[in-house]
């Protein structure tokens, strides 16, 4: 059976098929990815009204691609107090956010409870607000630093009020690439194990993939298929988020950057290969809003959120520091021929 026959008949693709997809032209890939998108979501494109907070940039790890953590390239260290975090949340709730996304660097100076108690304080003051917080990389850091098991940290997250987990820290699962770009951080199998444990508690999470640096196309396909395998077991991933590498102010020397064609192919292939993860998020922060709007025709059904303040990718060159206004989101999605639909973190539609 040819690859096209498999695509025509919605047959699950394997690793070799996934790599072969990249050899198809963009229009063909777009046709099949868009067909799946239209079957699942029609013209709906989701966005959410949220706030990102990054409470500290002091980090024990040294990821080569990261321009956010305090280092030789960014000497401006900071750690927010809980009061400062609560003040930000209060203002954002007044602006109508439904979700707060809290992700930090791996700061060994704060103590474990600094990471956790802020969640119960937020929940006490804003019980309706969804808290999406702590990547698998942070959970690994906290477990290692404070001699806890992953399950103990996860149980504490639930006790203190975390609702769902973001998908950060996955980078690229291939061990040799991982060693070069973020050696020493959570390993691929640990990242997957942490999400599995989280899902086994009946909770949802997202999964990212950082691409466009030193990885190969095969590495991307391998990454997607490791996620698909876990999703077959747990069903706990809500969304897959391909993150386009931003090159400024970091230590990773990259000479070839992906073209728009390669980025759109990667979105389309994600939609085709990940037949069991419902949502494909074109995170406008790393793809640029223009390409994210085009990605709607290549399988993406979600553009992420208004964010209000973005620190991680803007430190590496993305034009996202001040987020996006809801009105602008609605206009842009409408003008590109899709139907903007506000969602909450768990993809319930907000009327
Ligand atoms: O894990 C760091 C990435 C991630 C760079 O789950 C970079 O809903 C590109 O995970 N170029 C954090 N990317 C962001 C993230 C996320 C964002 C929005 C929504 C969700 C979600 C998750 O940012 C990190 C890392 O992979 N990152 N540096 C860079 N130079």
């Amino acid at each position: 059976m040819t690859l096209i026959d498999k695509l025509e008949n919605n047959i699950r693709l394997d690793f070799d098929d996934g790599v072969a997809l990249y050899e198809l032209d963009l229009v063909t890939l777009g046709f099949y990815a868009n067909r799946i998108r239209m079957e699942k979501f029609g013209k709906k494109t989701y966005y959410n009204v949220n706030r990102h907070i990054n409470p500290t940039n002091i980090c024990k790890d040294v990821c080569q691609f990261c321009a956010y953590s305090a280092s030789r390239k960014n000497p401006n260290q900071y750690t927010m107090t809980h009061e400062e975090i609560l003040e930000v949340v209060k203002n954002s709730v007044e602006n109508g956010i439904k979700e707060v996304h809290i992700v930090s660097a791996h700061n060994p100076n704060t103590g474990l409870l600094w990471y956790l108690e802020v969640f119960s304080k937020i929940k006490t003051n804003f019980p309706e607000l969804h808290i999406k917080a702590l990547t698998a990389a942070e959970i690994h850091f906290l477990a290692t630093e404070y001699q806890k098991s992953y399950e103990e940290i996860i149980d504490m997250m639930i006790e203190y009020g975390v609702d769902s987990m973001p998908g950060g820290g996955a980078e690229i699962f291939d061990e040799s690439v991982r060693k070069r770009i973020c050696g020493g951080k959570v390993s691929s199998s640990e990242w997957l194990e942490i999400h599995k444990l989280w899902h086994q508690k009946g909770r949802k999470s997202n999964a990212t993939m950082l691409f466009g640096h030193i990885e190969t196309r095969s590495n991307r396909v391998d990454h997607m298929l490791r996620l698909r395998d876990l999703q077959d077991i747990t069903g706990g991933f809500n969304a897959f988020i391909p993150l386009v590498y931003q090159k400024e102010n970091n230590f990773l020397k990259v000479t070839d950057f992906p073209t728009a064609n390669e980025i759109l192919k990667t979105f389309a292939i994600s939609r085709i290969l990940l037949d069991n993860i419902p949502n494909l998020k074109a995170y406008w922060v790393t793809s640029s809003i223009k390409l994210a709007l085009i990605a709607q025709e290549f399988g993406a059904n979600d553009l992420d959120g208004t964010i209000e303040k973005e620190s991680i990718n803007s430190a590496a060159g993305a034009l996202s520091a001040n987020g996006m206004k809801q009105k602008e989101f609605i206009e842009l999605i409408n003008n590109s021929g899709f139907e903007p639909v506000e969602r909450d973190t768990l993809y319930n539609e907000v009327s």
Side-chain angles (χ1 to χ4, degrees), residues 136-197:
E138 285 170 273
I139 295 173
H140 172 78
F141 157 72
L142 293 174
T144 314
E145 192 72 17
Y146 300 103
Q147 293 92 45
K148 304 267 184 219
S149 67
Y150 292 150
E151 193 168 5
E152 283 172 314
I153 298 287
I154 282 173
D155 285 340
M156 290 177 90
M157 285 163 65
I158 292 171
E159 183 191 331
Y160 281 87
V162 176
D163 295 297
S164 69
M165 264 178 72
E171 322 314 355
I172 275 282
F173 290 145
D174 178 86
E175 280 75 12
S176 62
V177 175
R178 201 171 180 83
K179 198 169 165 192
R180 286 170 62 196
I181 66 170
C182 57
K185 194 163 86 167
V186 64
S187 71
S188 324
S189 55
E190 289 161 344
W191 191 99
L192 290 162
E193 185 190 340
I194 291 167
H195 280 262
K196 186 176 184 183
L197 284 167

Side-chain angles (χ1 to χ4, degrees), residues 62-93:
V62 191
C63 296
Q64 300 296 304
F65 55 78
C66 183
Y68 165 70
S69 79
S71 70
R72 276 187 284 139
K73 296 223 174 185
N74 172 15
N76 305 314
Q77 299 189 350
Y78 72 83
T79 301
M80 294 168 78
T81 63
H82 286 177
E83 290 63 41
E84 285 168 336
I85 296 169
L86 281 169
E87 188 57 27
V88 172
V89 174
K90 178 173 173 284
N91 289 332
S92 298
V93 167

Side-chain angles (χ1 to χ4, degrees), residues 289 293 296 324 327-336:
I289 185 64
L293 292 169
Q296 294 175 106
M324 172 90 73
K327 188 169 167 283
E328 214 179 333
F329 246 136
I330 294 171
E331 272 172 22
L332 288 169
I333 296 170
N334 263 326
N335 290 343
S336 55

Side-chain angles (χ1 to χ4, degrees), residues 273-289:
L273 283 184
L274 292 171
D275 53 11
N276 55 3
I277 299 187
N279 299 290
L280 176 61
K281 190 187 283 194
Y283 184 45
W284 63 269
V285 166
T286 66
S287 61
S288 81
I289 185 64

Side-chain angles (χ1 to χ4, degrees), residues 45-50 92-98 284 289 293 303-308 322-334 340-344 350-351:
T45 294
Y46 294 125
Y47 70 92
N48 71 341
V49 182
N50 67 347
S92 298
V93 167
E94 282 164 11
N95 290 340
I97 62 158
K98 313 272 185 325
W284 63 269
I289 185 64
L293 292 169
L303 300 191
D304 197 72
T306 49
I307 298 174
E308 289 189 11
N322 300 319
M324 172 90 73
K325 294 271 170 287
Q326 182 173 7
K327 188 169 167 283
E328 214 179 333
F329 246 136
I330 294 171
E331 272 172 22
L332 288 169
I333 296 170
N334 263 326
V341 177
E342 186 183 343
R343 62 158 175 87
D344 66 14
V350 176
S351 56

